[in-house]
Amino acid sequence: MPPTKVKSADPAATPKRQHKADAKAAAHPHAKPRPLTRIQREKQDVILEAALEVFSVHGFRGATIDQIAEVAGMSKPNLLYYFPRKEEIHRRLMAALLETWLAPLQSMDADGDPFPEIRSYIRRKLEMARDFPRESRLFANEMLQGAPRIIEMIEVDLKNLVDEKAKVLLTWMDQGKLARTDPYHLIFSIWATTQHYADFDVQVRAVLGSGRNGEGRFEDAARYLEQLFLYGLTPRPKA
Amino acid sequence: MPPTKVKSADPAATPKRQHKADAKAAAHPHAKPRPLTRIQREKQDVILEAALEVFSVHGFRGATIDQIAEVAGMSKPNLLYYFPRKEEIHRRLMAALLETWLAPLQSMDADGDPFPEIRSYIRRKLEMARDFPRESRLFANEMLQGAPRIIEMIEVDLKNLVDEKAKVLLTWMDQGKLARTDPYHLIFSIWATTQHYADFDVQVRAVLGSGRNGEGRFEDAARYLEQLFLYGLTPRPKA
DNA sequence: GGAAATTTTGACCAGTTGGAAAAATGTTAG
DNA sequence: CTAACATTTTTCCAACTGGTCAAAATTTCC
């Protein structure tokens, strides 16, 4: 082994002091974990908000605790008092995100008719791209990196949900209410087209220019996408 | 001004030694910049390849020179000999990327018919997502960060190209060969749906599962997208 | 009001990071 | 073969990084 560069392979081996709250909880596993104080709740929210801002732009590695602390308006050690590890902040963010992210697809109703359902799914996803662009970028950032921190959730929860909805789409196709096509790629295309307006926002703005165009881009996108998917997925008599 | 944290506001103020080649070039601005040696060309390629690997996953801030050097199989100072700054590596990568990236749209031919042209544009973009996923991710990473290092190129070259092709699409629509719709969002939707297969590859794989499904995903995507855009953009008699 | 608990601060630390300097080693054209 | 040049290695550095710790300041609860 070359003595020059030894990258500590086992970070968990480092003996690290426990966070106060953690230490206490560990001491009495059955004791109620003492409900969070007002300040704790507030500060944690401020920190998570700041972390969203920073992580969504620079990704996990590119973001620094100092940066997050600055955005959150507190000192680094103070921030570390609430979240003893950088990873912990990111984990919390991702956990909350996943739920929000799956909700719109979840509410696609098998008992409804395909076009209203698909249209309102597109609408909701587009609204999320408009109203929560940072969340979208945080998610995209994690994906680009290979989703190291949420891969299980993707493989289990997300996969199950998509499998379920793919079945719904197939049923609609069998009933002749929807053009026969690949339901998985159909879902992918809705994700892609809607999230594009959050993740590639700079590009969209730059191309549309800052004139009248750029302003109404979400409405225009909604109109365009509805037309594309409505016409694109209307069943046709076989050639 | 709080004396606590002063982040050096002017990094350019730091007196930095010039790279040998640069220094020479600066000394004799008219002298031929001495053609690159074989080794220089080879090593630069190796470095750019390694940098693509690393930057495309971690973004500019998240990537380290050490990492790139390791992937490139050389020491950090040795790498720095070829590219004296981290930013320079990234710049070179982005410059090369932009060209490659615009090519498929450029070749959309106004004299052709809309559906063959659009179909082959989709095909080419999908092939790029399959064959150059790292390039796609590098681009996506830059976008997520607000494209700080390529914003002018986006605002000028890309915008001009898209404006031009949007006109082509409008012409086709006027001729009744293509459904009347927003040409800009049409282009966005092609970008989004095709690049999705590179940028969100983990997710796509996870959802499709590793079975037969995952393998043929690019062919399936091609079929699905062709259908979506063909049907979705076929002109209709007005309601 | 005061003891106990919580929150904040400031000083500190070891490892990493981008980069500099110079010496040592290769390569190549004459 | 050798001088001039190109390349690589070794050593080093200051700034930044994630994180620790004890003490000080503040809040909470009786």
Side-chain angles (χ1 to χ4, degrees), chain A residues 24 34 37 40 43 81-82:
Chain A
K24 251 172 237 159
R34 193 188 295 280
T37 66
Q40 278 167 346
K43 293 284 165 104
Y81 169 75
Y82 293 101

Side-chain angles (χ1 to χ4, degrees), chain A residues 176-198:
Chain A
K177 293 176 175 173
L178 190 65
R180 185 162 294 285
T181 191
D182 188 312
Y184 289 94
H185 292 276
L186 167 46
I187 291 172
F188 293 153
S189 69
I190 293 176
W191 288 347
T193 50
T194 53
Q195 288 174 14
H196 187 79
Y197 291 95

